[in-house]
Amino acid sequence: MQSRRKLRFRLVVSFALFGFGLSALFAVASLYVRAKVEDQLVVSALQHDVDQAVNQIIAHPDQQSHSELLEAWFKSERTLYKMPLAWQNLQSGVHDITETNADGTVKHYKLAVRRKDGIIGFVRYDVGREELGKRQLITSLIAAVFLFSLLSLAIGLWLSRKVLKPVTQLAQRLRDFRKAGKAEPLAANFADDEVGELALALDEYAARLTAMVERDREFNSDVSHELRTPLAVVASTTELLQGSPDLTPKLAERLKRIERASRQATELIEALLLLSRAERRGPTRGETTDVGKVAADVIESQRPQLRGKPVEIELATNEAVSVNAPASVLSVALTNLIGNAIKYTLEGTVRVEVGKGRIEVIDTGPGIKPEDAERLFQRGVRGEGAGGSGAGLGLAIVRRLCDLYGWNVSMRPRSDANGAIASIVFD
C-alpha cells in the first residue's frame, strides 16, 4: 500500500530539495569554472613569463643578472645552472610536476619550459597556494549550500502555509456543514482562483446531491403511503374472511399464508424506510425485541417454501437474547437468512439456534466456498446451487441493516457436513 503524505509536506520537501539541488549545482559549477579559469590563467602567465625571459637572454647574452622569473636555464647545450635532472628532457610547454620531499610531503607545482636557440628556460609556480584557496572556497560553498537549503525550507514552510490556507479553510467549512446538518454556499467566501473554482464545483455538486436526497425522501414517503394502504386493506380483509363460519380448512390455510405474506411485506417496507432514514440520521433505538420470538414467527412464515421437500425446520433457544432494535428490522434480516437456507436445502434440516448473544442458521444444503462467503453480501451477487434465483439483493439488505445497528453478520461453510452457517452476532 502506498504511503500517503499531506500535500503541505510534499510541497515543503519539494521546495527544500529544489533549493538544495540548485545551490549544490551552483557550488559545483563555481568550483569547475574557478578551476578551469585559474588553470588557463596560470598556464598563460607561465608561458608568457618563460618566453619573455628566454627572449631576454637571447637578446642580451652577456648579462648575468637574468630575470627573477627564471630559476634555471641553459646558456648552451653543455652548460647547466641549478636545473634538476628530472627537468632535462622536458619539452616546451607547461607541465604538472609532483615531487616527494625528504620528509615525505608531496609538493605539486607547474613548470613552464621553453627551448629556443640552445637556451632552455624554466619558470615554476607552486600550486600549494592554489590548493589552499580551493579548500577555503569549498568550505565557503558548503556553508552557502547549507544556509540556502535552510532558507529554502523556511520559505517552503511559509509558502505552503500561505498557499494551502484557502484549501484548509474550505475543508473546515465542509466539516462545519456536516456538524450543522445543512450546506451553505462556499464560493462566496473564496477568491476567484483555483480554490474558488473548487468551491463553486462543490456548491454545484451539493445542489445536485440535495435535490437527489429530496427526491429520495419524497419517493420514500410516497411509497410508504401508497403501499401501506393496500396492505392494510389486504390484512383487514383476510382477518374478516378468517372469521367466516363456513370457511374450509384448505381455504383457511391459504388465507393464513396471505396474512403472513402481507405482514412480511409490511415489515419489509417499514425496515427499508427505517434504513433509508437511519442512514441519514442514525439508527432508531428504544424498542427491545426478543430474538427467539421473532425467529419463531419467521420460521412459521417460511414453512410454505418447503413445498413438500424432505426438509425439517428446527428452532433451538438455548438462552433468551434481546436486542435494542425494532422487530421489523430483525424480522427482515432473519427472513432473508432462513429463507435462503430453506431455498438451497433440498433435503435434511434447517436448524436455527439462539443463544450467547447470537443467532445461527445451520442448513444441510450444497454449502459455500470459503472465498465466496464475504462476496455473497455484495449487491447483485447470487448464490450458486439448487434453488438459486433472485436478484441478489437480500443479503445486501441484511448487511446494511446489521451495519446500521452494529451487528456482525457472516456466512461460512460447515466443517462437519455439507451446508452453510449464517450467523448474526449482537454483542
Side-chain angles (χ1 to χ4, degrees), residues 162-233:
K162 187 175 181 62
V163 170
L164 295 179
K165 184 178 180 180
V167 179
T168 304
Q169 292 176 347
L170 178 61
Q172 185 59 45
R173 285 185 176 273
L174 290 174
R175 295 190 193 97
D176 294 340
F177 294 164
R178 183 174 58 184
K179 295 177 182 178
K182 62 178 181 178
E184 297 179 359
L186 294 169
N189 301 292
F190 297 93
D192 187 14
D193 53 10
E194 287 77 5
V195 179
E197 292 180 4
L198 177 59
L200 183 60
L202 288 174
D203 286 341
E204 295 174 353
Y205 177 75
R208 293 196 303 270
L209 189 61
T210 301
M212 183 179 65
V213 171
E214 289 297 330
R215 289 195 300 269
D216 179 66
R217 185 180 295 117
E218 293 174 0
F219 174 78
N220 290 336
S221 300
D222 295 341
V223 168
S224 175
H225 179 269
E226 297 298 331
L227 290 182
R228 282 180 178 179
T229 300
L231 287 174
V233 172

Side-chain angles (χ1 to χ4, degrees), residues 44 61 99 115 144 163 165 168 188 221 234 238 249 280 301 306 413:
S44 177
E99 295 178 350
R115 295 174 178 268
V163 170
K165 184 178 180 180
T168 304
S221 300
V234 171
T238 305
R280 297 192 303 264
S301 67
L306 294 177

Side-chain angles (χ1 to χ4, degrees), residues 68-311:
E68 295 179 355
L69 295 174
L70 284 173
E71 295 193 10
W73 65 86
F74 277 116
K75 191 173 182 180
S76 67
E77 293 294 344
R78 295 180 300 277
T79 306
L80 177 66
Y81 296 92
K82 297 188 292 182
M83 184 184 74
L85 294 177
W87 298 3
Q88 184 174 354
N89 297 322
L90 294 178
Q91 299 298 319
S92 297
V94 179
H95 304 272
D96 284 313
I97 306 297
T98 302
E99 295 178 350
T100 304
N101 298 328
D103 56 358
T105 59
V106 177
K107 187 176 182 181
H108 181 208
Y109 56 89
K110 291 183 179 294
L111 181 67
V113 181
R114 179 61 173 167
R115 295 174 178 268
K116 186 176 181 181
D117 298 336
I119 301 298
I120 305 177
F122 302 90
V123 174
R124 182 169 58 182
Y125 175 76
D126 187 3
V127 184
R129 294 173 294 176
E130 176 186 337
E131 296 294 335
L132 177 61
K134 184 178 180 180
R135 287 194 297 269
Q136 292 175 346
L137 178 60
I138 290 175
T139 303
S140 301
L141 289 176
I142 291 176
V145 169
F146 178 74
L147 292 176
F148 193 78
S149 299
L150 290 180
L151 181 61
S152 299
L153 181 62
I155 295 176
L157 287 170
W158 179 75
L159 283 179
S160 64
R161 186 181 297 110
K162 187 175 181 62
V163 170
L164 295 179
K165 184 178 180 180
V167 179
T168 304
Q169 292 176 347
L170 178 61
Q172 185 59 45
R173 285 185 176 273
L174 290 174
R175 295 190 193 97
D176 294 340
F177 294 164
R178 183 174 58 184
K179 295 177 182 178
K182 62 178 181 178
E184 297 179 359
L186 294 169
N189 301 292
F190 297 93
D192 187 14
D193 53 10
E194 287 77 5
V195 179
E197 292 180 4
L198 177 59
L200 183 60
L202 288 174
D203 286 341
E204 295 174 353
Y205 177 75
R208 293 196 303 270
L209 189 61
T210 301
M212 183 179 65
V213 171
E214 289 297 330
R215 289 195 300 269
D216 179 66
R217 185 180 295 117
E218 293 174 0
F219 174 78
N220 290 336
S221 300
D222 295 341
V223 168
S224 175
H225 179 269
E226 297 298 331
L227 290 182
R228 282 180 178 179
T229 300
L231 287 174
V233 172
V234 171
S236 61
T237 304
T238 305
E239 184 178 356
L240 290 175
L241 289 175
Q242 286 178 337
S244 300
D246 56 347
L247 193 64
T248 63
K250 188 173 183 180
L251 186 56
E253 178 62 27
R254 291 178 178 176
L255 288 175
K256 194 172 183 180
R257 290 176 58 183
I258 294 173
E259 181 187 13
R260 285 196 296 264
S262 174
R263 185 173 66 252
Q264 288 177 4
T266 302
E267 291 175 347
L268 178 59
I269 292 173
E270 291 179 356
L272 292 177
L273 292 175
L274 177 65
L275 181 62
S276 177
R277 290 193 298 266
E279 286 180 334
R280 297 192 303 264
R281 305 175 186 176
T284 301
R285 301 185 184 273
E287 180 180 348
T288 302
T289 301
D290 186 348
V291 177
K293 183 178 183 303
V294 174
D297 293 339
V298 171
I299 289 175
E300 291 303 318
S301 67
Q302 293 297 312
R303 286 190 185 277
Q305 285 198 48
L306 294 177
R307 299 174 184 174
K309 293 193 297 185
V311 177

Side-chain angles (χ1 to χ4, degrees), residues 37-56:
V37 172
E38 186 175 39
D39 184 73
Q40 292 176 357
L41 290 176
V42 170
V43 169
S44 177
L46 289 176
Q47 289 179 338
H48 176 269
D49 291 343
V50 74
D51 288 343
Q52 183 180 9
V54 169
N55 291 333
Q56 183 179 357

